[in-house]
């Protein structure tokens, strides 16, 4: 069976882990953590980065930092991973789910205005498949209403948004805070892993405290205070050096990994004959780039998607779908009182993700294309 995803190892992971272990310093915030954080700060001009044990953890940090209190409202797409919402629910937020747009699964910016109330504290955007949301509009709306913007950039490493001013901004550098994932299903991995990027420096000092269990331990080790103690809420959000060492080996090969994934992505995009099977290919607006995180198709019905999954499975290819709309989830449906979210449900029912990983051969990609192109409509 050709899997949907296969983690790619660059070859240096174990060597760097051995180096971390033999250095005698394997808890967090050591040499490899700093190498990784500096890499992101320099390459993407994120103002301050903190590695976390997952994107989920980074989202939980973001929810604490924007000071979510019970009853505060947070707007986000319904078509996203559970953690986007869960992190804010943990702090007592009421989630105001927004619909996706017709053109792609990203949040429909035209419908955001009417979701904003006096209680709105933050908008969380998800750049689905690493394809940018319309950030100029979102930031303008947020600034008008004094709302924070958190980018759930879990899927968005090395992808960009070009604003009306013509400046090309890395995703994760635009919102006040942003969160990344290095889960083994993402482009750059460390098994489990994540990162909080802080673009509004008013959050920098507190972020470090929350990261270190609510203590000023980081400031203590820099010699800024002569003792450290409990000064805020927090948790153990930082990963060990073993995880950071693994991640560093991946980051060193970022361009190589991205180029290969884009080659596969483009092969699908150019090879699939969508008109014949009433398929929709990914839509990338002019302001967005593609980082080849996901190659997805949108079918005309749930039945034709199931049929395609079956045909691929017969030939030993594993394709998957994801995201049950969160507003209809078992956990949240009784708390949801908003409108029907048509497009979110459409993507839940009709979107399919094709295998995409570094070691997927172009022959296999061509075979998948053939199976889909030759399927009877
Ligand atoms: C993968 C993902 C997450 C969760 O990332 P973890 O590192 O597994 O916690 C959150 N949001 C989105 C949009 C994701 O794709």
């Amino acid at each position: 069976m050709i899997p949907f995803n296969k983690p790619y190892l660059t070859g240096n992971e174990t060597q760097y882990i051995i180096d971390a272990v033999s250095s005698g310093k394997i808890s967090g915030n050591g040499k490899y953590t700093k190498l990784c954080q500096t890499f992101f700060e320099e390459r993407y001009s994120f103002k301050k980065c903190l590695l976390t044990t997952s994107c989920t953890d980074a989202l939980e940090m973001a929810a604490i930092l924007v000071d979510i209190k019970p009853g505060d409202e947070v707007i986000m797409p319904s078509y996203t991973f559970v953690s986007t919402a869960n992190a804010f629910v943990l702090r007592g937020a009421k989630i105001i789910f927004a619909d996706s747009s017709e053109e792609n699964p990203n949040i429909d910016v035209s419908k955001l205005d009417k979701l904003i109330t006096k209680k709105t504290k933050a908008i969380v955007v998800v750049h689905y498949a690493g394809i940018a949301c319309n950030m100029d509009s979102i930031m303008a709306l947020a600034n008008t209403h004094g709302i924070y913007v958190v980018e759930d950039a879990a899927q968005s490493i090395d992808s960009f948004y070009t604003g009306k001013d013509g400046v090309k901004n890395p995703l994760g550098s635009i919102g006040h805070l942003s969160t990344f994932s290095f889960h083994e299903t993402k482009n750059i991995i460390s098994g489990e892993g994540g990162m909080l990027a802080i673009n509004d420096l008013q959050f920098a000092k507190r972020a470090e405290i929350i990261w270190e269990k609510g203590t000023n331990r980081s400031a203590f080790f820099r010699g800024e205070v002569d003792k450290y103690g409990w000064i805020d809420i927090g948790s153990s959000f930082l990963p060990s050096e073993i995880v950071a060492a693994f991640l560093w080996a991946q980051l060193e090969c970022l361009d190589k990994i991205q180029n290969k994934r884009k080659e596969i992505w483009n092969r699908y995009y150019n090879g699939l004959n969508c008109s014949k099977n009433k398929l929709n290919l990914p839509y990338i607006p002019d302001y967005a780039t593609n980082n080849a995180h996901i190659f997805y198709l949108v079918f005309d019905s749930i039945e034709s998607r199931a049929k395609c999954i079956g045909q691929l499975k017969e030939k030993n290819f594993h394709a998957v779908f994801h995201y049950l709309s969160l507003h209809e989830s078992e956990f949240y449906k009784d708390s949801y009182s908003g409108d029907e979210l048509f497009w979110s449900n459409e993507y839940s029912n009709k979107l399919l993700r094709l295998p995409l990983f570094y070691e997927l051969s172009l022959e296999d990609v061509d075979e998948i294309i053939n199976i889909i192109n030759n399927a009877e409509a």
Side-chain angles (χ1 to χ4, degrees):
M1 192 81 180
I2 301 291
F4 165 70
N5 178 59
K6 180 167 179 257
Y8 171 64
L9 301 179
T10 68
N12 283 334
E13 286 84 354
T14 43
Q15 186 196 321
Y16 293 164
I17 288 172
I18 288 168
D19 180 49
V21 171
S22 53
S23 77
K25 158 82 181 155
I26 51 175
S27 60
N29 202 9
K31 173 177 115 181
Y32 285 104
T33 299
K34 289 187 180 101
L35 278 172
C36 294
Q37 290 175 175
T38 306
F39 174 93
F40 282 102
E41 288 162 3
E42 287 177 354
R43 180 163 168 141
Y44 300 111
S45 57
F46 303 143
K47 297 227 176 72
K48 183 180 171 69
C49 292
L50 294 172
L51 289 193
T52 56
T53 55
S54 62
C55 181
T56 303
D57 265 3
L59 286 160
E60 287 177 23
M61 286 183 71
I64 296 172
L65 285 168
V66 300
D67 204 25
I68 299 295
K69 294 272 185 337
D72 287 345
E73 293 179 358
V74 178
I75 299 172
M76 66 180 65
S78 180
Y79 189 77
T80 182
F81 187 63
V82 175
S83 296
T84 318
N86 222 351
F88 293 86
V89 168
L90 277 170
R91 310 237 57 84
K94 176 169 189 217
I95 308 298
I96 307 299
F97 286 112
D99 207 357
S100 294
S101 68
E102 180 175 356
E103 62 191 21
N104 68 28
N106 286 342
I107 200 162
D108 184 346
V109 177
S110 71
K111 291 181 193 150
L112 282 185
D113 206 8
K114 70 176 198 328
L115 299 178
I116 294 173
T117 71
K118 282 200 220 51
K119 291 183 184 164
T120 309
K121 200 68 159 285
I123 299 175
V124 186
V125 297
V126 179
H127 307 295
Y128 182 79
I131 297 166
C133 296
N134 185 344
M135 292 309 290
D136 276 345
S137 305
I138 290 162
M139 294 312 289
L141 197 64
N143 288 336
T144 306
H145 296 274
I147 298 168
Y148 292 118
V149 173
V150 178
E151 293 175 77
D152 179 343
Q155 307 177 2
S156 317
I157 193 166
D158 203 48
S159 203
F160 298 82
Y161 168 80
T162 303
K164 288 191 203 90
D165 57 7
V167 178
K168 197 171 170 186
N169 301 287
L171 297 187
S173 71
I174 305 163
H176 300 87
L177 297 164
S178 63
T179 64
F180 287 86
S181 175
F182 310 118
H183 183 264
E184 72 168 20
T185 51
K186 305 302 203 267
N187 291 23
I188 294 292
I189 62 175
S190 61
E192 303 280 353
M195 185 176 75
L196 178 73
I198 299 147
N199 300 313
D200 182 340
L201 285 177
Q202 66 159 310
F203 295 117
K205 201 170 158 210
R206 191 167 181 231
E208 211 173 57
I209 290 162
I210 291 165
W211 189 56
E212 280 273 26
K213 299 104 179 159
T215 74
N216 53 353
R217 193 166 186 263
S218 298
F220 174 72
F221 281 117
R222 281 196 301 266
E224 292 165 15
V225 292
D226 56 12
K227 56 184 185 308
Y228 85 85
W230 186 16
I231 55 174
D232 201 340
I233 60 167
S235 192
S236 186
F237 286 122
L238 73 172
S240 86
E241 278 288 285
I242 298 172
V243 170
F246 190 112
L247 182 61
W248 179 242
Q250 294 266 314
L251 291 175
E252 282 188 331
C253 295
L254 180 101
D255 290 322
K256 187 177 122 184
I257 292 170
Q258 289 300 98
N259 288 339
K260 185 71 193 291
R261 292 185 72 102
K262 283 182 203 166
E263 188 185 9
I264 295 169
W265 197 100
N266 287 325
R267 189 93 159 192
Y268 276 133
Y269 191 83
N270 296 324
L272 284 163
N273 177 354
C274 49
S275 56
K276 185 180 153 224
N277 290 310
K278 295 193 208 141
L279 286 175
N280 280 310
L281 296 178
Y283 173 75
I284 303 174
D286 288 341
Y287 53 67
T289 60
N290 168 37
N291 73 345
H293 173 55
I294 290 175
F295 191 90
Y296 69 86
L297 292 169
V298 184
F299 285 80
D300 63 341
S301 70
I302 194 165
E303 292 79 21
S304 57
R305 179 178 73 177
K307 201 168 144 195
C308 182
I309 293 171
Q311 285 161 337
L312 289 169
K313 201 171 166 198
E314 257 171 46
K315 297 272 164 66
N316 285 326
F317 293 107
H318 190 206
V320 301
F321 55 84
H322 64 170
Y323 300 156
L324 182 72
S325 293
L326 293 181
H327 73 290
E328 295 191 346
S329 62
E330 186 175 329
F331 179 69
Y332 215 82
K333 64 177 190 284
D334 294 335
S335 313
Y336 183 73
S337 54
D339 292 341
E340 187 205 343
L341 303 178
F342 178 82
W343 289 106
S344 180
N345 289 345
E346 283 285 291
Y347 294 117
S348 288
N349 291 332
K350 300 178 182 172
L351 183 143
L352 184 67
R353 305 167 68 188
L354 299 180
L356 174 51
F357 52 89
Y358 188 93
E359 289 166 289
L360 181 64
S361 72
L362 293 178
E363 291 72 43
D364 281 335
V365 174
D366 288 343
E367 202 182 329
I368 293 169
I369 292 170
N370 276 333
I371 294 167
I372 298 173
N373 281 350
N374 296 327
E376 302 144 44

